[in-house]
Amino acid sequence: GDSVTQMEGPVTLSEEAFLTINCTYTATGYPSLFWYVQYPGEGLQLLLKATKADDKGSNKGFEATYRKETTSFHLEKGSVQVSDSAVYFCALSWNTGFQKLVFGTGTRLLVSP
Amino acid sequence: SQTIHQWPATLVQPVGSPLSLECTVEGTSNPNLYWYRQAAGRGLQLLFYSVGIGQISSEVPQNLSASRPQDRQFILSSKKLLLSDSGFYLCAWKRAGDRNTIYFGEGSWLTVV
């Protein structure tokens, strides 16, 4: 079945460092791909998404490119801030039907001043 | 604009007691509705989804049930809680139709003691 694999955390960075959180997926065909963010004590918020191959999703300085050749959707940010500390979830969903989201296990990011 | 609310935000319940978590969506009609659970140290798992009033589909066998008595109301219940029911429960909604984003509520922390 469909699955999403994320890198293990926590990822610990200093402020202004470059961030990469790896995400790969297993699916038949080309699903939509998402990054959700969960700040401490809160629910999930959509961070960015890409609905087809080679699309780049971006928001709040974060970017991710849909790579069908490597079945990947890695999350990147050039300069992280302390306020970016959160858990990041990669997910896939099909564009038809009720669109169940299949999530990775999440990667915790800790940014220190 | 559309909003989603779920409550209570936090609850501590003894083993064997009943549970009722409620979720409502405003500003849209006939949404797809979802209940997800995030167990400690694990990713998000879809529990139930609904495409209309009275239509509930279960993804995994468990000690929980869901109901949709009104178009924009989704309730998660249990008659007798187990310790393993502890976790973070998230309600979500999506506008009916393809290629629409799923949005999450604030979440409810359940601790079964």
Side-chain angles (χ1 to χ4, degrees), chain A residues 32 34 36 38 41-44 46 49 51 89 93 95-101 103-105, chain B residues 32 34 36 38 42-44 46 49 51 59 88 90 94 97-102 104-106:
Chain A
S32 292
F34 305 81
Y36 281 83
Q38 184 180 28
E42 299 183 12
L44 267 68
L46 177 66
K49 68 177 182 180
T51 58
F89 291 91
S93 173
N95 296 325
T96 58
F98 70 94
Q99 289 185 236
K100 178 179 80 171
L101 276 167
F103 284 92
T105 52
Chain B
N32 289 355
Y34 310 81
Y36 281 83
Q38 182 181 18
R42 301 179 63 182
L44 285 149
L46 178 64
Y49 68 92
V51 297
E59 282 290 293
F88 189 51
L90 286 157
K94 182 187 78 71
D98 297 343
R99 297 183 180 271
N100 289 315
T101 300
I102 295 176
F104 287 82
E106 310 94 332

Side-chain angles (χ1 to χ4, degrees), chain A residues 62-95:
Chain A
F62 290 89
E63 293 183 339
T65 302
Y66 191 138
R67 304 284 189 198
K68 67 177 181 179
E69 307 84 8
T70 54
T71 62
S72 64
F73 194 54
H74 304 322
L75 182 68
E76 297 181 335
K77 186 174 186 182
S79 177
V80 293
Q81 306 300 312
V82 173
S83 57
D84 293 327
S85 298
V87 180
Y88 293 81
F89 291 91
C90 186
L92 68 81
S93 173
W94 296 101
N95 296 325

